[in-house]
Amino acid sequence: MDRLLQQFPPITLAEMSGVKLMNRTDTKFVTTMPQLCRLLEMAQGDYFAQEIDGERNMLYDTTYFDTADFAMFRAHQHGHAGRQKIRFRTYVSSNLQFMEVKTKNNHGRTKKKRIEVTDMNLCDEQKRTFLASHLRFDADTLTPHTHNYFHRVTLVNRQKTERLTIDSQLQFNNVLTGQSRDMGQLVIIELKRDGLVYSPVLEMLRQLRIRPHGFSKYCMGAAMTNDQLPINRFKPKLRDVERMLRTNNY
């Protein structure tokens, strides 16, 4: 994959400033590394690859918080409008960390709010003020639940109207149970754009038979590493993922 990435023209963070998409529609796709390599070969003429200090496949470190009764997990499983997630994400290459609140409204749009932080302590005034403004849960009810690592490639189309994030080498660690899961060759692709603007990658994905497939890293990671959680509504997605991992060339 690294060889293929080097064939994309680079784009810097400064050049991406107009592609923040903080209020956006997201479409996720799940596939495997062999299919991703085919997609990268097809996409070279239409996309830039984000590059930071010469690096294009960057390590992310994320911890998700939830309530003791998994209120956010349950809201997602039942498809509730206005559902929320809170996470701490560290961009390992730059050593920057953010606390982020994501809210998905009843129109399918995702709104993200975040502040830069230096730790995951929820007791300080800055974090509590931020959470009081953007999260519908009391900060005192929140504890860390799951943790993940993955590498991310970010592609930007030539018109700079969308971002395509590609996550691989995904690993889950459950803070509560101590269980871990390495996702092997699985790849999570997410198309992020404002509204329904034209996207060149959609036709490429269709040709490769890579179809939309929901995959919440928090919910799927929790479901795979905590046997006590109710997962009935996630079972079809979990079966799809296990099938892809078995075949490895989906």
Side-chain angles (χ1 to χ4, degrees):
M1 185 174 73
D2 290 340
R3 177 187 60 80
L4 290 170
L5 286 176
Q6 290 305 315
Q7 297 178 27
F8 285 79
I11 186 169
T12 66
L13 280 175
E15 292 170 326
M16 287 177 56
S17 60
V19 203
K20 291 180 180 177
L21 306 180
M22 301 299 276
N23 183 19
R24 68 195 190 212
T25 57
D26 301 340
T27 309
K28 290 184 180 178
F29 304 83
V30 182
T31 187
T32 58
M33 189 61 70
Q35 284 289 74
L36 171 62
C37 290
R38 297 183 185 102
L39 178 66
L40 292 176
E41 289 175 346
M42 297 168 68
Q44 290 170 16
D46 294 287
Y47 287 85
F48 301 99
Q50 176 185 291
E51 183 173 293
I52 301 176
D53 296 330
E55 192 173 356
R56 298 189 177 195
N57 193 11
M58 284 156 276
L59 178 61
Y60 285 48
D61 175 349
T62 309
T63 301
Y64 288 88
F65 281 55
D66 205 335
T67 63
D69 61 350
F70 297 91
M72 297 182 211
F73 175 91
R74 294 173 187 275
H76 189 112
Q77 182 176 202
H78 292 287
H80 292 170
R83 62 183 181 267
Q84 294 188 297
K85 292 191 185 73
I86 172 175
R87 68 190 182 195
F88 287 83
R89 172 160 287 174
T90 301
Y91 300 81
V92 176
S93 298
S94 57
N95 199 31
L96 291 175
Q97 185 178 60
F98 294 88
M99 180 172 69
E100 302 178 343
V101 172
K102 294 178 69 177
T103 303
K104 191 157 192 174
N105 67 22
N106 57 358
H107 300 293
R109 296 184 72 86
T110 300
K111 185 175 289 187
K112 182 170 72 174
K113 298 291 184 180
R114 72 178 188 177
I115 55 170
E116 187 173 349
V117 297
T118 57
D119 57 49
M120 293 190 290
N121 184 351
L122 293 180
C123 293
D124 70 68
E125 183 177 352
Q126 179 201 27
K127 295 190 190 77
R128 295 180 80 87
T129 299
F130 173 82
L131 291 175
S133 298
H134 302 294
L135 189 70
R136 294 190 295 274
F137 297 87
D138 190 322
D140 291 331
T141 67
L142 304 174
T143 57
H145 280 222
T146 65
H147 178 80
N148 65 52
Y149 288 100
F150 58 90
H151 283 77
R152 170 167 289 183
V153 172
T154 300
L155 303 182
V156 178
N157 68 333
R158 298 283 180 153
Q159 293 72 34
K160 298 181 183 178
T161 57
E162 69 177 37
R163 279 187 292 140
L164 193 71
T165 60
I166 301 168
D167 299 341
S168 62
Q169 298 172 261
L170 182 60
Q171 297 179 25
F172 295 122
N173 306 103
N174 197 296
V175 178
L176 302 179
T177 68
Q179 292 185 44
S180 299
R181 180 71 189 268
D182 187 327
M183 300 308 294
Q185 294 286 296
L186 198 76
V187 174
I188 312 301
I189 300 171
E190 187 167 9
L191 174 61
K192 307 175 183 185
R193 53 183 175 153
D194 278 321
L196 297 176
V197 296
Y198 170 74
S199 170
V201 81
L202 285 177
E203 175 59 22
M204 302 173 201
L205 290 163
R206 187 191 67 78
Q207 290 179 27
L208 292 171
R209 298 183 181 179
I210 301 173
R211 300 176 180 87
H213 190 291
F215 191 103
S216 160
K217 291 188 187 68
Y218 170 51
C219 293
M220 296 294 278
M224 290 179 170
T225 57
N226 188 338
D227 299 334
Q228 303 305 310
L229 288 176
I231 61 170
N232 286 342
R233 298 197 179 201
F234 288 134
K235 282 183 178 179
K237 292 179 181 179
L238 290 167
R239 284 195 294 267
D240 286 345
V241 168
E242 295 294 351
R243 177 173 56 83
M244 291 183 206
L245 290 173
R246 286 195 304 270
T247 59
N248 199 33
N249 60 358
Y250 173 79

